Amino acid sequence: MEIFYEFLNTTGFAMMTWGNAIMILVGITFVSLAIMKDYEPLLLLPIGFGAIVGNIPSIQGMALNVYDEGSVLSYLYFGVSKGILPPIIFLGIGAMTDFSTMLSNPKLVLLGAAAQVGIFLTLIGALYMGFNPSEAGAIGIIGGADGPTAIFLASKLAPHLLGSIAIAAYSYMALVPVIQPPIMKLLTTKKERLIRMKAPRHVSQREKIIFPIAAFLVASLIAPGALVLIGMLFLGNLLKESCVTERLANTARNAMIDIVTIFLGFSVGASTQAQTFLTPQSLLIFGLGALSFAIATAGGILFAKLMNLFIREKINPLIGAAGVSAVPDSARVVQIVGQKEDPHNFLLMHAMAPNVAGVIGSAICAGILWSVLVK
Amino acid sequence: MEVNLSIQNILDGHGVGISITGMVVVFAALALISTFIALLPAVLRIVNKIFPLGETPHALPRSSDSLENEVIAAIGLALHTEMGKHIPDK
C-alpha cells in the first residue's frame, strides 16, 4: 500500500501546479486555433502540443523535460538552443521562394527595409522598460515577423527568453490577419487602396540564378552576422533556380523543412514550462511583440506612401504591410484588404516582393544586432 | 528582472545609436541589392552577347512566354472553331 501511495505522489496530478494547468490550457488553445481556425497550423499545432508535454510535471531525479541534462527532449531542444534548426528552415524557405516579382520591380525591395523599423523601435521600448541591451535586441527581432530569425537571435543573445520570444513571434505571425488590416485601413485612403500596379515583367533564368549569389555577397559582406541565415536562404534558392539540383531543392522544401518544423515547434512548445514561462517578463515580451508587429506594418505602409511622392508609377501602399516578412501570410492579407476595395485588383504577386525582401531584411537586422550586442 | 521605466536605460544601452545604425545598414544593404537587380538586365544583355545561352545539361523549366503562347493558340483555335459554327458556308 505504501508503494501505491508513493506512486500516487509521483503522478502528474499530485505535482501539478496552477501554472502548469494554465500552460496546458494555452497549449490546448493553440492546438484548437490551428485545427479550427487554420491559424499557422504547421507551427501552432506542434508548439501547442509541445506546451502540453512540457507542462506535465516531471519526477525529481528523472531526466524528462527539455531543461534536464541528458533527457530525450533536451537533445531535441539542442537544435533550438544552439540556433541549428532556424538556418535549416531558411534553406527550405529559400528552396520554396520565387524572387521573380522582386527581381521584376526592384524598388519594392526598399519596403522590406522600411518595415524593419519595428525591430529597432521595439528595442528602444524594451530598453526603456529595463531589459538589458541583449534582451532588448532579442525582443526587438519579434518585429521582423520571422519565427526562425527570432529563435536564432534569441538563442544567441538571450537564451533564457527563448521560449517567450519564440511563442510571441509565432503567435503574432498566426495573428497577422487580425493585427494588420486595421492598421492598413487606418493609414491609407480609399483612393490609395484602389491603386492598380503594372504587371511584373518576365524575369530570365539567368537573372534568377545570379541573384542569390550576388545578394548573398552583398548582405553577408555588409552584415556578417547574417551569414548563416542568409547563406542558407540563398543556397536553398540557388538549388531551386539552378535547375540542376532539383532533387536537393525538393528535399529542402518538402521533407527537410517538414522534419525540422516538427522538431522546432515541438521543442519550443516543450520549453514553455510554467515555472520559467509564466513570469511578468513574458507578459512584457508579448506586449512589446504586438507593438513591434504594429510598428513594422505601419513603417512599411508609410514608406510606400513616401515613395509615391517621388515615383511616376504609383505603388499601392497596402503592399508596404507585406514588408514584415511573415511569408506568405502578410502578402495574402494585402490581397484580401485590396480586394475588399476592388475585387479585380490582384496585389498578391506585387506584395510578394516586399514580403521576400522583408525576410532578407530581418535576417540582416538579426546579423546587425548579433554583431553589435554580442558579449 | 524589475520593470524600471526610464529614459536613462535607453541612453545607457545605446538604444538610439543601435537603432539608427541598424536602419541605415539594412537600408544600405537592401538598396544595394535593389540597385544590383535594376542593373542586372542591362548587364545580362552584354553578357548574353559574349556568352550566348547554350545547351544546358539539364532542361530548364519552360518559360512562361512559351506557355502563354500555347494558351493563346489554344484559345484562338477554340474561338475559331466556335465562331466558324455560326458563319454560314459560302
Side-chain angles (χ1 to χ4, degrees):
Chain A
M1 205 61 185
E2 199 178 321
I3 292 172
F4 182 68
Y5 282 127
E6 256 176 43
F7 171 75
L8 280 184
N9 284 331
T10 62
T11 63
F13 291 111
M15 292 189 289
M16 178 76 69
T17 63
W18 279 108
N20 291 133
I22 290 168
M23 285 310 296
I24 287 173
L25 279 176
V26 169
I28 291 170
T29 309
F30 276 19
V31 172
S32 309
L33 284 174
I35 296 170
M36 295 194 290
K37 294 280 181 184
D38 205 28
Y39 283 170
E40 289 272 345
L42 300 182
L43 290 163
L44 280 195
L45 199 144
I47 288 177
F49 196 79
I52 299 169
V53 171
N55 280 284
I56 301 296
S58 54
I59 306 159
Q60 285 285 330
M62 280 179 78
L64 284 172
N65 68 49
V66 289
Y67 301 111
D68 292 338
E69 208 177 314
S71 71
V72 174
L73 288 181
S74 74
Y75 289 112
L76 293 182
Y77 191 60
F78 185 81
V80 176
S81 61
K82 298 293 172 198
I84 298 164
L85 300 185
I88 302 176
I89 298 237
F90 260 60
L91 180 76
I93 293 171
M96 281 180 194
T97 305
D98 185 352
F99 285 103
S100 299
T101 48
M102 195 177 94
L103 294 174
S104 73
N105 199 348
K107 62 179 175 287
L108 299 183
V109 172
L110 296 177
L111 296 176
Q116 308 311 321
V117 71
I119 294 176
F120 295 105
L121 288 184
T122 309
L123 177 140
I124 291 178
L127 283 173
Y128 177 68
M129 288 184 165
F131 286 96
N132 69 42
S134 296
E135 292 172 336
I139 294 166
I141 203 72
I142 298 172
D146 198 326
T149 305
I151 291 174
F152 181 80
L153 192 66
S155 70
K156 304 293 176 198
L157 293 181
H160 55 289
L161 299 180
L162 185 57
S164 316
I165 289 171
I167 297 286
Y170 281 119
S171 307
Y172 291 130
M173 277 170 70
L175 290 172
V176 158
V178 180
I179 297 172
Q180 286 199 314
I183 301 165
M184 292 161 84
K185 284 182 186 158
L186 187 73
L187 295 177
T188 54
T189 62
K190 187 177 172 68
K191 195 181 162 195
E192 285 172 329
R193 291 196 291 273
L194 286 170
I195 293 175
R196 287 194 181 192
M197 294 173 66
K198 220 173 83 177
R201 71 169 173 85
H202 171 70
V203 176
S204 73
Q205 198 62 28
R206 270 197 175 179
E207 283 176 84
K208 290 184 194 175
I209 292 171
I210 292 170
F211 170 72
I213 303 168
F216 166 71
L217 286 172
V218 171
S220 59
L221 287 173
I222 288 179
L227 187 139
V228 187
L229 292 174
I230 291 282
M232 293 302 258
L233 178 79
F234 286 129
L235 169 63
N237 192 247
L238 191 58
L239 292 177
K240 170 182 180 277
E241 299 299 356
S242 68
C243 300
V244 293
T245 50
E246 196 48 36
R247 270 173 50 199
L248 302 186
N250 257 328
T251 305
R253 68 172 161 250
N254 294 309
M256 186 182 279
I257 198 168
D258 287 348
I259 292 166
V260 174
T261 301
I262 293 168
F263 286 141
L264 185 132
F266 178 73
S267 50
V268 162
S271 73
T272 62
Q273 288 175 355
Q275 290 74 10
T276 55
F277 190 80
L278 283 183
T279 59
Q281 232 176 353
S282 299
L283 285 178
L284 284 177
I285 290 170
F286 272 86
L288 285 165
L291 184 74
S292 177
F293 250 68
I295 296 171
T297 304
I301 295 168
L302 293 175
F303 192 76
K305 288 169 72 128
L306 181 73
M307 281 172 76
N308 273 346
L309 298 176
F310 304 100
I311 53 177
R312 222 179 309 146
E313 278 174 15
K314 304 293 178 205
I315 52 177
N316 191 317
L318 289 178
I319 67 166
V324 301
S325 40
V327 183
D329 291 6
S330 54
R332 254 189 246 145
V333 169
V334 170
Q335 166 80 357
I336 291 165
V337 175
Q339 283 203 322
K340 274 188 185 157
E341 299 294 343
D342 175 4
H344 302 291
N345 196 1
F346 296 96
L347 292 171
L348 183 66
M349 57 189 170
H350 301 292
M352 281 310 289
N355 213 188
V356 292
V359 176
I360 302 170
S362 57
I364 292 174
C365 287
I368 297 165
L369 290 173
W370 192 19
S371 314
V372 174
L373 298 171
V374 72
K375 282 171 189 165
Chain B
M1 177 221 143
E2 270 183 42
V3 179
N4 167 29
L5 304 179
S6 165
I7 297 287
Q8 194 56 41
N9 295 335
I10 301 172
L11 299 175
D12 293 344
H14 307 291
V16 178
I18 293 171
S19 299
I20 292 172
T21 309
M23 280 312 287
V24 169
V25 172
V26 76
F27 258 105
L30 288 180
L32 261 174
I33 290 173
S34 173
T35 310
F36 173 80
I37 296 169
L39 295 174
L40 191 56
V43 174
L44 277 180
R45 267 195 295 277
I46 300 165
V47 172
N48 286 343
K49 277 183 192 162
I50 303 164
F51 304 104
L53 284 166
E55 288 292 309
T56 56
H58 297 259
L60 289 172
R62 287 201 308 176
S63 77
S64 58
D65 278 355
S66 68
L67 196 66
E68 267 171 29
N69 290 340
E70 283 174 24
V71 172
I72 291 166
I75 293 169
L77 178 68
L79 275 173
H80 176 74
T81 313
E82 194 58 31
M83 301 285 275
K85 286 179 192 169
H86 304 293
I87 298 169
D89 289 337
K90 282 180 184 169

